[in-house]
Amino acid sequence: MIDQPIQTMLMQAHGQWIILANIVANVMVNNDCYHAFLVLTKIGYSKIPVLDKDQHLCGLLSLSMITERMLDTDHIAPENLRRMKVKDVMQTDFRVVEDPDDLDEVMHLLVDDSFVPVVSDERTFTGIITRRELLKRVNYLAHNFDDCFETTKRPQDSSSQ
Ligand code: AMP
C-alpha cells in the first residue's frame, strides 16, 4: 500500500502516464522474423509488443530473441529468419495491468521490466507505462514533497535501533 501523499504526488499530471497504443511501435504475431528484425533494429527499442489483427496483446519481442535464432554453429544466418514467425520466438510469459492507476502493482512490475503493458479486460492492447515516466515522477516527488506536505519525524522506536 502506497502512502496517500506519495500516491497523490506521483499521479499528478506531468505528462502522459500511459504511452497510448497508437504511438507504441509493435509487430504482428504473423509477421516473419526477418521483418521484425528490421523493425526492431530501425526503431531502437529493445523490446516491443506483439499484436494480432484485432489489437490483442499476444506477446513481447526483443532483438535478442531474434538474433539468437540467426546463430548457426559457426556463422550468422539471417536467412533463418524468413522461415520463422514472430509467434514462434516471442515471449508469452509476461505481466500486464488492466488498471493503469494501480500504482502499487505498476511500481512492482517496473522493478523488473522497463515497461509494463496495459490491456483492457479482453486483453486488447491499450498502451504501455515506462520506467522512465515513473522515474520522472519520483524525481519530481523527491524534489517537491516539502512544498506540498508538512512532515514531522516520528520518535524512533528504540527497540529497532
Ligand atoms: P524508456 O523508459 O522510454 O526507455 O522505455 C522503456 C522501454 O519501453 C523501451 O526500451 C521500449 O521497450 C518500450 N518503449 C518505450 N516507448 C516505446 C514506443 N513508443 N514504442 C514501443 N516501445 C516503447
Side-chain angles (χ1 to χ4, degrees):
M1 185 82 175
I2 296 171
D3 290 340
Q4 195 53 51
I6 308 272
Q7 166 108 12
T8 304
M9 285 196 69
L10 286 176
M11 294 314 279
Q12 270 171 13
H14 296 285
Q16 287 281 17
W17 177 231
I18 306 182
I19 301 178
L20 292 174
N22 61 339
I23 55 167
V24 176
N26 65 73
V27 284
M28 303 299 282
V29 72
N30 283 317
N31 284 153
D32 69 40
C33 287
Y34 195 90
H35 171 80
F37 177 63
L38 293 179
V39 172
L40 276 162
T41 308
K42 198 136 182 103
I43 59 175
Y45 290 122
S46 50
K47 194 181 264 192
I48 57 175
V50 179
L51 306 181
D52 69 13
K53 63 179 179 23
D54 299 316
Q55 288 289 112
H56 295 123
L57 180 63
C58 306
L60 301 176
L61 187 73
S62 70
L63 204 48
S64 64
M65 289 169 203
I66 295 193
T67 49
E68 199 182 319
R69 304 302 181 110
M70 285 200 305
L71 301 179
D72 271 356
T73 41
D74 58 352
H75 71 291
I76 297 169
E79 63 279 7
N80 291 353
L81 302 182
R82 299 253 189 220
R83 293 191 295 271
M84 284 175 222
K85 299 260 189 199
V86 166
K87 65 181 171 199
D88 301 326
V89 305
M90 69 186 184
Q91 172 188 355
T92 51
D93 177 18
F94 60 94
R95 302 276 302 274
V96 300
V97 290
E98 287 185 9
D99 177 6
D101 294 333
D102 183 350
L103 197 53
D104 225 342
E105 175 79 348
V106 170
M107 284 178 85
H108 274 116
L109 296 179
L110 287 177
V111 169
D112 292 324
D113 291 299
S114 61
F115 71 93
V116 53
V118 185
V119 296
S120 72
D121 47 0
E122 278 139 21
R123 224 177 158 83
T124 302
F125 181 56
T126 313
I128 60 173
I129 302 170
T130 61
R131 191 186 279 164
R132 174 184 155 85
E133 186 56 39
L134 175 64
L135 275 177
K136 271 166 49 187
R137 289 162 183 248
V138 169
N139 192 23
Y140 173 82
L141 166 73
H143 288 92
N144 295 280
F145 190 78
D146 248 10
D147 297 341
C148 302
F149 293 94
E150 269 182 35
T151 50
T152 48
K153 193 171 187 301
R154 288 185 199 281
Q156 293 282 346
D157 173 1
S158 56
S159 64
S160 67
Q161 289 178 348

